[in-house]
Amino acid sequence: MVPPTLAVGPTLAVDTALGWLSALALFAAPGVAAAVLWSPFLLASRFRALFRALPPTGRFASSYLAVALGLSVPYLAGVLLTAGLVDSAGAGWSNALVETAIVGGLCTVVVAPVVAVVGLPRLGIDWDPTGYGPSTWALVVAAGLWYAAVAAVPLFALAVVFALPGGY
């Protein structure tokens, strides 16, 4: 029989590790889901070229996943700030989730395309062989709109639930 004091150490370490892994999975899940739902844009060779050019150079899958996870950060931050700072009484959480969807959408529809088409070439990451014309802008803005829609749907659904009488 193992003395109780010895059994607590390894069990606590395993519980702590499982807790951290669960938290990591919870935070990565929206970005991974968005990456899967965003994948139709990979049919465009320019979109694939963007991720091949990003660091680590030549690592398409890791760059794609990193960008998909990175674009989910404004949405996750908004949800965490809502849960931590907003009073859940009334429609507080509902309003905050709608605002999160709007701010996250602006990040993915406006900021991300400007970074991709204007910022990256100025940093020496030349990814568009066609010269960053209107069709490239259309592609990255459409990809941003799609990502924003994919990320906003769950937030709007939660906002509706929290706005109902009785809330959650």
Side-chain angles (χ1 to χ4, degrees), residues 26 37 42 50 60 66 79-80 93 115 117 123-124 132 135 144 147 156 163:
L26 181 65
L37 295 171
L42 295 175
L50 168 62
F60 165 78
V79 170
L80 291 173
W93 277 17
V115 168
V117 177
L123 292 173
Y132 306 97
S135 60
Y147 192 100
F156 281 121

Side-chain angles (χ1 to χ4, degrees), residues 77-87 93 96-97:
V79 170
L80 291 173
L81 289 171
T82 296
L85 300 176
V86 177
D87 185 13
W93 277 17
L97 290 172

